[in-house]
Amino acid sequence: MKKILVTGGLGFIGSHTVVELQNSGYDVVIIDNLSNSKIEVLDQITSITNKKPEFYQIDLRDRNAIHSFFDTTSVDGIIHFAASKAVGESVENPLLYYENNVSSLIYILQEMLKRSVANFIFSSSCTVYGQADELPITEDAPIKPAESPYGNTKQIGEEILRDITKSSNLRTISLRYFNPIGAHESFKIGELPIGIPQNLIPYITQTAAGIRKQLSVFGNDYPTSDGTAVRDYIHVVDLAKAHIAAMQRLLSNKNKESFEVYNIGTGKGNSVLEIIHAFEKVTQQNLNYIITERRAGDIASAYADTSKANKELGWKAEKTLEEALDSAWQWQKRQ
Ligand code: WQD
């Protein structure tokens, strides 16, 4: 049985990926520092899969701890989620982001080279494209200057991987996620934002649940069909499955290059108002919202051309927007 290390495996995307890995027959070991996740998620994963993943509470900025981990555990591949992801916080505290997201990546890669672990999947983001000149966005679209230190850490991460694969036997796949939403069908794992949600879907579900008074729609003067910004919202379980496809590609030596990049989205764009109306329809609730100013740093439209992932990874998003919104709501109601 192949063993996969999942860093950040108790987080939103990490936990869903651990479930899919276990369901696909992999052994999983998780490293998480619990900075933005809860230890209870480990039991929730176990109750879904009937198999407890190995778990180590390690902060990846701790080089010695990573070294000791690899002294005692050997793995066939690594899926690296552990990172900070709040755009606003990264503007306030850039060094925290460079340390968390870049230093820890370097430490892991150093251990991989030492121990000849060859297979690595990196969590990247559509944020690397900024406002793309053409839609849908293909992997060939130019990388635009990052709008935030967070976005820059994803660009730097990809550059490090591109360089390192040229000088070593490391094989890496960078998955550029569009907007992950939703929750597992068991509703035992889902998104757990700390404090006031920054992302649209948790803000919507918390407003519907009465935790927030009103949703602000950030701008209705974008050059889109209804003036509100357009994104590609992908069900987190579909996104998790893309990691299994990518890892299988590396483990079976099917990759064509030692550094590959894939867009992971649905290929469909929806505006904020479309999301609100779809949510209202699915949940039979009226959502209290107002239109406000644009949010600094937001772009008008982003949605993926997913044909490369469809063809090369043999993967495609299968769940509908309605399923994703319903699962987000069912999850919210259980909190
Ligand atoms: C979606 C749309 C908002 C909240 C961010 C990161 C990106 C990525 C995913 C991270 C936008 C609008 C939002 C609200 C609103 N990676 N909105 N009212 O900005 O596309 O991407 O998260 O881990 O790197 O930048 O996602 O969910 O914040 O916003 O109107 O209260 O909803 O303006 O158009 P975004 P989001």
Side-chain angles (χ1 to χ4, degrees), residues 208-315:
I211 301 167
R212 310 281 153 208
K213 272 211 180 78
Q214 192 172 48
L215 169 77
S216 298
V217 174
F218 299 141
N220 68 349
D221 57 351
Y222 285 105
T224 61
S225 60
D226 60 25
T228 64
V230 167
R231 298 288 184 274
D232 183 337
Y233 296 91
I234 176 169
H235 197 299
V236 65
V237 172
D238 278 332
L239 174 59
K241 287 178 178 167
H243 295 76
I244 318 305
M247 186 51 85
Q248 275 163 355
R249 179 173 174 88
L250 292 179
L251 290 170
S252 57
N253 291 313
K254 291 212 175 97
N255 56 307
K256 292 189 178 138
E257 322 221 15
S258 53
F259 174 71
E260 294 184 331
V261 170
Y262 294 97
N263 285 341
I264 304 297
T266 65
K268 237 186 118 234
N270 286 105
S271 72
V272 176
L273 285 178
E274 283 171 352
I275 294 292
I276 291 173
H277 296 140
F279 182 85
E280 288 181 327
K281 198 165 166 208
V282 165
T283 62
Q284 297 291 311
Q285 309 226 15
N286 282 332
L287 201 67
N288 183 19
Y289 70 88
I290 48 159
I291 309 286
T292 62
E293 293 291 290
R294 290 183 181 192
R295 181 172 68 179
D298 272 351
I299 54 163
S301 290
Y303 52 95
D305 181 323
T306 61
S307 43
K308 187 177 174 202
N310 300 160
K311 186 162 165 268
E312 300 285 330
L313 297 180
W315 167 92

Side-chain angles (χ1 to χ4, degrees), residues 55-212:
F55 172 69
Y56 294 88
Q57 184 174 349
I58 292 175
D59 190 311
L60 294 175
R61 289 169 296 182
D62 182 347
R63 216 175 183 160
N64 294 333
I66 305 173
H67 190 78
S68 311
F69 168 83
F70 280 102
D71 273 343
T72 55
T73 315
S74 68
V75 299
D76 299 286
I78 298 178
I79 305 181
H80 180 51
F81 292 106
S84 300
K85 60 167 189 176
V87 176
E89 184 187 43
S90 80
V91 176
E92 304 284 310
N93 195 350
L95 276 184
L96 176 72
Y97 274 67
Y98 289 112
E99 189 184 26
N100 264 348
N101 297 6
V102 182
S103 300
S104 55
L105 171 65
I106 293 171
Y107 299 156
I108 291 188
L109 293 172
Q110 284 171 334
E111 291 298 328
M112 290 182 75
L113 292 185
K114 255 185 246 161
R115 325 249 174 190
S116 303
V117 182
N119 306 306
F120 187 82
I121 314 262
F122 181 63
S123 287
S124 189
S125 169
C126 64
T127 193
V128 302
Y129 298 117
Q131 178 58 68
D133 302 324
E134 282 172 42
L135 294 168
I137 304 172
T138 70
E139 289 82 355
D140 296 328
I143 303 296
K144 296 271 176 82
E147 290 276 354
S148 69
Y150 162 76
N152 205 23
T153 65
K154 294 297 172 190
Q155 297 190 2
I156 293 170
E158 288 196 355
E159 282 167 19
I160 291 173
L161 294 173
R162 192 176 283 114
D163 288 342
I164 208 171
T165 51
K166 284 185 196 149
S167 67
S168 69
N169 66 350
L170 201 72
R171 293 109 48 85
T172 68
I173 291 181
S174 181
L175 300 180
R176 292 177 177 161
Y177 313 150
F178 283 68
N179 292 51
I181 62 167
H184 190 260
E185 62 186 10
S186 64
F187 310 123
K188 290 179 174 171
I189 52 175
E191 195 167 4
L192 284 169
I194 292 174
I196 301 171
Q198 306 300 310
N199 296 113
L200 179 63
I201 305 306
Y203 208 104
I204 287 179
T205 59
Q206 289 197 8
T207 305
I211 301 167
R212 310 281 153 208

